[in-house]
């Protein structure tokens, strides 16, 4: 019954923590004898965690793309200036 003690889902939590918590909730759903209401609450919490983990992953991907573009632009600019 993980949701009973849940804290407000935060963007300050790491990707790994969100995924781990969502996995624990899903395992709990599979193993425990929960009421329908508890199961829905847990499922909703797991989805929220997965959504935040996905957002963190997308943000990180965008940062990497930005860094790669900046570095590639710097390399092409340096090559152009030295010719």
């Amino acid at each position: 019954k993980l949701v009973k003690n849940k804290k407000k889902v935060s963007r300050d939590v790491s990707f790994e923590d969100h995924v781990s918590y969502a996995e624990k909730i899903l395992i709990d759903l599979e193993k425990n004898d929960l009421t329908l209401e508890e199961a829905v609450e847990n499922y909703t919490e797991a989805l929220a965690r997965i959504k935040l983990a996905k957002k963190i992953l997308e943000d990180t991907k965008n940062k990497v793309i930005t860094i790669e573009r900046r570095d590639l632009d710097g390399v092409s600019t340096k090559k152009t200036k030295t010719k």
Side-chain angles (χ1 to χ4, degrees):
K1 299 180 182 178
L2 291 170
V3 174
K4 294 285 183 188
N5 296 323
K6 76 175 181 176
K7 296 177 183 174
K8 184 178 179 184
V9 178
S10 170
R11 291 179 180 262
D12 296 332
V13 176
S14 72
F15 170 83
E16 294 81 6
D17 287 342
H18 280 305
V19 172
S20 176
Y21 196 82
E23 287 174 345
K24 288 176 187 175
I25 291 171
L26 295 175
I27 290 168
D28 196 44
L29 284 170
E30 291 175 350
K31 292 184 177 183
N32 287 324
D33 185 25
L34 302 174
T35 66
L36 180 59
E37 184 178 323
E38 290 170 332
V40 170
E41 285 180 26
N42 283 343
Y43 182 74
T44 302
E45 175 71 11
L47 287 179
R49 295 292 183 139
I50 291 167
K51 183 178 179 180
L52 285 171
K54 184 178 177 183
K55 175 73 172 130
I56 292 169
L57 195 58
E58 289 171 0
D59 290 348
T60 302
K61 178 183 172 185
N62 289 334
K63 286 179 187 177
V64 169
I65 290 169
T66 300
I67 292 167
E68 287 176 344
R69 285 182 183 157
R70 183 189 66 215
D71 289 348
L72 290 176
D73 287 347
V75 169
S76 64
T77 303
K78 289 177 186 175
K79 286 182 180 178
T80 305
K81 287 182 179 179
T82 57
K83 290 184 178 181

